[in-house]
């Protein structure tokens, strides 16, 4: 297949050179030939990459997936190694907690600025169960006067590490 595309590429090059000498004014055929040359020059590297995937070194790109210790590829990755199997098991157990932490981090990084840009602005305040409420300026100032708002630094890795990629969060004291 690559030889055929290479032949077409060389033929298009040859014909474009012949046309360039015989016709001084560009025309539709000349444009189409040059377009074919451009397409062939883009297609050839992709065909070469596809050929690389077919050989043994490229098979890793098509390996089965193993995420959170789950998937068809986990068993082949672990082999007989009990340590890897143990890590995969622990990862599967923590899957829901990690996904929830990622969702909360996404919400805390993206939503506060959006709600603050509204007219009138709204402010996200985290409740003790991990959900968020929105308050306007008046409601928020009343909560602050009643000392029902405290500031908290978000954490990562199950609370082990401060997440410095996030802003401090207002937390409702109940």
């Amino acid at each position: 297949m690559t030889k055929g595309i290479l032949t077409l590429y060389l033929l298009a090059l040859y014909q474009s050179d012949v046309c360039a000498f015989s016709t001084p004014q560009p025309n539709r055929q000349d444009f189409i030939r040059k377009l074919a040359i451009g397409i062939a020059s883009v297609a050839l590297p992709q065909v070469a990459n596809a050929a690389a995937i077919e050989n043994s070194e490229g098979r890793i790109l098509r390996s089965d997936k193993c995420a959170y210790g789950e998937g068809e590829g986990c068993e082949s990755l672990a082999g007989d190694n009990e340590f890897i199997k143990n890590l995969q098991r622990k990862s599967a157990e923590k899957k829901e907690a990690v996904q929830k932490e990622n969702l909360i981090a996404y919400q805390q990084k993206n939503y506060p600025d959006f709600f603050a840009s509204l007219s009138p602005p709204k402010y996200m305040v985290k409740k003790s169960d991990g959900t968020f409420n929105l308050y306007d300026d008046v409601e928020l100032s009343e909560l602050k006067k009643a000392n029902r708002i405290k500031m908290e630094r978000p954490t990562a890795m199950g609370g082990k590490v401060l997440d410095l990629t996030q802003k401090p969060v207002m937390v409702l004291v109940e």
Side-chain angles (χ1 to χ4, degrees):
M1 182 172 154
T2 22
K3 290 181 182 179
I5 291 176
L6 183 59
T7 305
L8 287 174
Y9 178 72
L10 293 175
L11 181 62
L13 273 177
Y14 173 74
Q15 288 180 348
S16 69
D17 286 343
V18 170
C19 287
F21 290 114
S22 61
T23 353
Q25 295 292 330
N27 57 24
R28 183 181 293 176
Q29 290 176 344
D30 197 28
F31 172 76
I32 291 173
R33 282 189 188 102
K34 289 181 180 178
L35 181 64
I37 291 170
I39 291 171
S41 67
V42 171
L44 282 176
Q46 292 175 352
V47 169
N49 288 342
I53 291 173
E54 298 301 323
N55 65 22
S56 63
E57 293 86 21
R59 287 192 193 133
I60 189 117
L61 298 175
R62 294 186 179 182
S63 65
D64 294 327
K65 302 286 185 234
C66 178
Y68 296 109
E70 299 173 347
E72 297 172 3
C74 290
E75 190 173 323
S76 65
L77 286 173
D80 294 332
N81 191 330
E82 289 301 319
F83 179 71
I84 299 295
K85 288 179 182 178
N86 188 32
L87 289 176
Q88 289 174 347
R89 183 183 50 75
K90 286 181 181 179
S91 181
E93 290 171 359
K94 295 179 182 179
K95 177 182 178 180
E96 286 184 31
V98 169
Q99 288 179 335
K100 184 178 178 182
E101 185 177 296
N102 290 343
L103 177 64
I104 290 172
Y106 175 82
Q107 292 170 342
Q108 290 177 346
K109 287 178 185 177
N110 296 296
Y111 293 151
D113 292 336
F114 169 75
F115 290 122
S117 71
L118 297 177
S119 180
K122 302 280 186 181
Y123 301 96
M124 285 179 61
V125 177
K126 186 177 178 181
K127 293 174 28 181
S128 60
D129 63 357
T131 60
F132 292 91
N133 283 344
L134 292 176
Y135 296 102
D136 61 15
D137 286 325
V138 175
E139 295 169 327
L140 189 62
S141 64
E142 289 175 9
L143 289 171
K144 285 181 178 180
K145 285 179 186 176
N147 287 329
R148 296 201 52 215
I149 299 289
K150 70 174 185 172
M151 298 301 285
E152 182 180 278
R153 291 292 307 189
T155 59
M157 297 176 63
K160 296 177 188 173
V161 178
L162 282 178
D163 188 351
L164 299 177
T165 65
Q166 299 180 47
K167 299 175 185 174
V169 178
M170 290 184 279
V171 179
L172 184 65
V173 178
E174 296 182 51

